[in-house]
Structure formats: C-alpha cells, structure tokens
C-alpha cells in the first residue's frame, strides 16, 4: 500500500502588507466540517442527497473520491450543488486520505460496512496523525483491520458487509474526529453504538455537537445527555438537501485582518443560526479589540486599529490557534493560549511550528505543554515555513499585514481547504475584491 499522493512543487508567496485599513465584503467557501459530514451521511442514506454551496478543496474532494471508491455515486461537476446517490458499499477499494483527518477517521467505519478489502493511505505526514484509538474501537465492534504495529496508516479494513456494533470505550483526547467517525456510521451498524470516552477532555466539542445535530437531521436517534457518552440507535438515514454554511476557520484570517488594520470585513451568507462555534469566536475577537455583528449583509468584524492580548482556553476552537497567535504577536499586551495540546497532532505539531517560525521572525514566545505564551515585540521579515499546513499559511498572512517581507515557503498548502485563498487575500488587501 504505497502512498498514491503525487508530490507537487512548492509555491512561494510574499504575504502582502496593508498600507490602509481593509474594507471587504466576501463570500467564502463552505465549511469543511459540514461538507465532510454531509458527504458521509449522504453516502450512507437510503436515498439521494444534495449539498448546496459545499467546499471544493483537496480534503473534501478526497472524501468524495473515497465514497466513490466504496460504491457511492458522487457528482461534483457543479460547484454550487453536489449530488450523492448511495449504493451498496463494496470492495476491493483504495482510499487516498491525503492529509485529511476527516477522511482517515470517518471512512474506516464506513469501510467496515463494505463487502471486501478497503485499503487506506495518504501523505507521509498522515502516517503520524492519531488513529490508534479508532482502530482499537472498530476492532472491538467486530471490524477486521490490518495495520502496522504503530496503529497508524497504511491500513486495510476487511469488510464483510456488516458491523455488529455495540458498546465501546475510547480515549478521544487526541481528536473529536475519533468519536465522530464512529457516530456517523453507527446507524448502519446492527446494534448501533454506545461510545464512552475515557481520558483527558475531548477537544473541539463544537465539532461533536455538529456531528450529533447532522445525524439527527437525517433521522438518526442520538442520545448525548450523559457527558462523554454518545448512544446511536440502528436505523435508516434519509437523503436530504444540505445547505452548507461558510467555513468559520477559513474566515478567521479575513476577520483578523479587520483587527490588524483597523478595517471592516463582512462575510456574506452567514446563517442566523449556526452549528459552528460562532459565539466562542465572536467572544475571542471582541476581547482582542474587535466589534462583531450579524446582520442582513452577513457576519461583520470591525477593528479599532489596536489589538489586545488574550488569556484564553482554546480547547473548543483549536483550529483558530494559528490565526489568534498571529494576532497576539501584534497585540499591545502579552497573551497566553492554552488547552491546545491536541493540535500537536494536526497536519503538523502546530504549537511547535508556530513557536519556531515566529521566533525566526524575532518574536518572543514560549511553548507550553498545551499552548503558547506570547510577549509582543516588533517582528521582521523572513521565510515562514508552513510544513504543508494550511493554517500555518493563514498565520503568516495575518502577520504579513503589519510586517513587510514575510515570505511563505508554500502557499499552495492552502488548497487543502481553500484553493482560492491567495487570490482572495491579495484582493482584500489591495481593495480589488
């Protein structure tokens, strides 16, 4: 099971510096988290589904490709409306996970329902992302899996067309996706599933709430009333139309630009009732000096030209850490960001990578076991390495608004979740959006 992902050349990029307050109204791509979950649920449903304004990016195209490999019909020819027609799940098949945590954790449980051998592999860095607890949980639920002793990729699921299901104990302290992957496929298990988490708190709790809400939206019976326990009853899932919200994590650098430059950025198409952690994000930006409003035009962030330091537990919103770190570098007081030890297991060790790359630009910051301490001082230009991590490129772009000469070694990594990021960002800074 070799790595099927082709190597692409890096794309260097100079982060543009803002000479004036930014003023932009943008329509950004759909939520990666919602798109991934909608694809999986649609592939397991009893009838066709549509995804309206989904995210077209590497992660979601890999998810669509994985479902196709397993037998589903997934049409992505229309950027605004994807169509999924479920079909009997079959093997043999091979799923390229790329570097997508959603694909490597959501599709192995689905593969257990397929009749045949399904192999999984991806980018080299994917082989060190936490997967062992999911493999152990699936085995205890009756799924046969061949995997290296490390409990990681590459792996093979030897599906029999059904999964017994039942109760399982898992340590999901490394990623909420380890639980979400089990829950999404659970209605198709013979006995459903009861997942009990034992360990340090599960990070990114809002993503688990999203999983539960989306399961209920297609008719699944889910009980999450007991802390750290999720029970899903067996039963059919209905096809439906999914309206995909704009991606909050993808919007974060654009909103941060309003704070850094004292400008105003509006994201169009934002729903008044969101299943993403908007209120947590709103509170964080407000504490850092922003004004956040939701109106008919969309979600708007205004900056006053001064960024304030922040002492915050980001365990629920760890994806925002790189952008908030960049903001903290430009603040008028120190910051302490904690509760993010789990992001050491993301596309790269984000805590270490942020500390190393900002230190190279002259920053004064310290790594904590679960976070960062940041003491602002003037930064200088220089090369900022992304480690093939889209969120690292976002952090460099935010810092570059105020610091001339930040050279991102590879902005193409943003194609993971937003291929149009460089063009959208430059257009916002230059006023040409």
């Amino acid at each position: 099971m070799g790595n099927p992902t082709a190597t692409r050349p890096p794309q260097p990029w100079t982060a543009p510096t803002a000479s004036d307050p930014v003023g932009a109204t943008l329509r950004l791509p759909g939520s990666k988290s919602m798109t991934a979950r909608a694809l999986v649920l649609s592939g397991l449903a009893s009838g066709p589904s549509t995804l309206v304004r989904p995210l077209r990016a590497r992660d979601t195209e890999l998810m669509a490709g994985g479902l196709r490999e397993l037998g589903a019909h997934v049409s992505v020819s229309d950027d605004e409306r994807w169509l999924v027609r479920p079909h009997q799940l079959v093997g043999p098949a091979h799923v390229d996970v790329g570097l997508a945590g959603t694909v490597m954790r959501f599709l192995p449980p689905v593969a257990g329902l397929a009749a045949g051998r399904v192999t999984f592999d991806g980018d080299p860095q994917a082989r060190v992302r936490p997967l062992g607890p999911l493999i152990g949980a699936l085995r205890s639920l009756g799924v046969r899996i061949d995997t290296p002793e490390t409990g990681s990729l590459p792996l093979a699921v030897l599906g029999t067309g059904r999964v017994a299901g039942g109760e399982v104990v898992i340590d999901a302290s490394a990623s909420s996706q380890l639980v979400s992957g089990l829950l999404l496929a659970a209605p198709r298990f013979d006995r459903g599933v009861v997942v009990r988490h034992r360990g340090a708190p599960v990070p990114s709790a809002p993503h688990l709430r999203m999983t539960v809400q989306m399961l209920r939206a297609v008719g699944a019976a889910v009980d999450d009333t007991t802390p750290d326990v999720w029970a899903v009853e067996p039963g059919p899932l209905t096809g439906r139309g999914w309206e995909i919200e704009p991606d909050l994590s993808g919007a974060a650098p654009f909103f941060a630009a309003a704070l850094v430059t004292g400008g105003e950025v509006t994201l169009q198409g934002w729903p008044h009732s969101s299943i993403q952690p908007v209120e947590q994000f709103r509170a964080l930006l407000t504490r850092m000096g922003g004004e956040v409003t939701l109106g008919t035009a969309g979600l708007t962030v205004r900056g006053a030209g001064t960024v304030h330091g922040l002492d915050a537990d980001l365990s629920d919103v760890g994806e925002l850490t790189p952008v908030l770190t960049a903001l903290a570098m430009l603040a008028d007081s120190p910051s302490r960001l904690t509760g993010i030890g789990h992001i050491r297991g993301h596309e790269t060790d984000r805590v270490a990578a942020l500390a190393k790359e900002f230190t190279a630009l002259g920053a004064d910051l310290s790594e904590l076991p679960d976070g960062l301490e940041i003491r602002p001082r003037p930064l200088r230009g220089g090369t900022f390495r992304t480690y093939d991590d889209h969120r690292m490129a976002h952090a460099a772009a935010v810092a570059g608004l105020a610091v001339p000469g930040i050279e991102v070694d590879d902005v193409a990594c943003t194609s993971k979740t937003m291929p149009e990021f460089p063009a959208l960002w430059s257009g916002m800074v230059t006023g040409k959006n």
Side-chain angles (χ1 to χ4, degrees):
M1 288 181 288
N3 177 9
T5 305
T7 302
R8 56 164 178 76
Q11 182 182 332
W13 182 70
T14 302
T17 302
S19 55
D20 298 297
V22 299
T25 298
L26 305 167
R27 181 174 286 278
L28 295 184
S31 162
K32 177 191 76 169
S33 300
M34 277 194 74
T35 301
R37 286 162 175 78
L39 283 170
V40 173
L41 292 171
S42 299
L44 294 171
S46 57
S49 297
T50 55
L51 281 67
V52 179
R53 289 184 295 277
L55 170 67
R56 180 187 288 279
R58 187 185 184 215
D59 278 18
T60 53
E61 289 185 326
L62 287 168
M63 182 70 82
L67 288 167
R68 277 194 212 98
E69 280 286 311
L70 291 167
H73 172 84
V74 186
S75 173
V76 299
S77 57
D78 183 345
D79 282 346
E80 292 293 306
R81 185 178 296 268
W82 291 2
L83 175 65
V84 182
R85 291 192 183 95
H87 198 267
Q88 182 177 354
L89 299 170
V90 294
H94 177 75
V95 176
D96 176 7
V97 310
L99 193 49
T102 48
V103 181
M104 72 176 69
R105 293 167 184 147
F106 291 1
L107 288 190
V110 176
L113 295 162
R117 179 183 178 92
V118 183
T119 58
F120 291 81
D121 201 4
D123 296 0
Q125 184 64 21
R127 296 185 176 189
V128 299
R129 298 196 70 178
L131 197 59
L134 177 64
I135 293 169
L138 287 173
R139 283 173 171 157
S140 72
L141 294 172
V143 179
R144 288 183 58 204
I145 300 177
D146 286 343
T147 185
E149 291 183 6
T150 54
S152 61
L153 294 172
L155 63 84
V157 175
L158 309 176
T160 61
R162 55 186 292 270
V163 175
E167 295 202 16
V168 65
V169 176
I170 187 172
D171 180 355
S173 56
S175 174
S176 65
Q177 292 173 353
L178 298 167
V179 174
S180 286
L182 294 169
L183 301 186
L184 289 167
R188 293 283 303 273
F189 296 172
D190 293 350
R191 292 186 288 146
V193 79
V194 177
V195 179
R196 301 181 188 276
H197 163 69
R198 287 185 187 159
V202 181
S204 303
H207 284 98
L208 273 173
R209 290 195 288 272
M210 177 187 292
T211 297
V212 170
Q213 286 179 259
M214 293 181 71
L215 274 162
R216 288 173 176 157
V218 291
V222 187
D223 183 353
D224 62 347
T225 54
T226 302
D228 290 335
V229 179
W230 300 265
V232 181
E233 297 292 329
L237 301 176
T238 58
R240 58 160 290 164
W242 294 100
E243 296 277 347
I244 306 299
E245 300 177 6
D247 190 273
L248 183 64
S249 296
F254 295 91
F255 288 144
L259 270 67
V260 172
T261 68
E264 179 175 318
V265 174
T266 297
L267 175 57
Q268 292 179 319
W270 197 265
H272 279 267
S273 178
S274 172
I275 63 174
Q276 298 178 86
V278 177
E279 289 309 311
Q280 289 101 313
F281 185 45
R282 185 179 200 159
L284 291 165
L285 287 186
T286 300
R287 289 168 60 190
M288 298 192 85
E291 178 189 344
V292 187
T293 56
L294 179 60
T296 54
L299 190 65
T300 298
V301 177
R302 299 177 185 86
T306 301
V307 180
H308 304 313
L310 181 71
D311 188 336
D313 180 338
L314 303 181
S315 54
D316 276 357
V317 288
E319 283 279 316
L320 302 178
T321 302
V323 164
L324 293 177
T325 299
L327 276 176
M329 296 290 164
L330 308 173
D332 61 1
S333 59
S335 293
R336 182 182 173 91
L337 308 177
T338 57
I340 49 175
H342 62 286
I343 72 171
R344 292 184 181 277
H346 281 197
E347 283 80 346
T348 187
D349 179 339
R350 285 182 175 162
V351 174
L354 287 165
K356 184 172 184 178
E357 296 310 306
F358 277 116
T359 296
L361 301 183
D364 179 12
L365 74 167
S366 306
E367 275 189 65
L368 305 171
D370 73 333
L372 291 163
E373 284 188 339
I374 300 151
R375 295 163 290 276
R377 67 185 185 190
L379 301 180
R380 57 177 177 267
T383 299
F384 191 100
R385 292 185 297 168
T386 62
Y387 306 90
D388 206 27
D389 185 342
H390 55 147
R391 304 298 181 205
M392 291 293 290
H394 294 169
V398 171
L401 292 167
V403 182
I406 293 183
E407 305 283 343
V408 178
D409 72 336
D410 182 21
V411 78
C413 65
T414 58
S415 65
K416 177 178 166 64
T417 50
M418 193 185 299
E420 54 272 71
F421 175 79
L424 282 170
W425 188 262
S426 297
M428 175 191 68
V429 177
T430 60
K432 294 180 180 178
N433 272 345

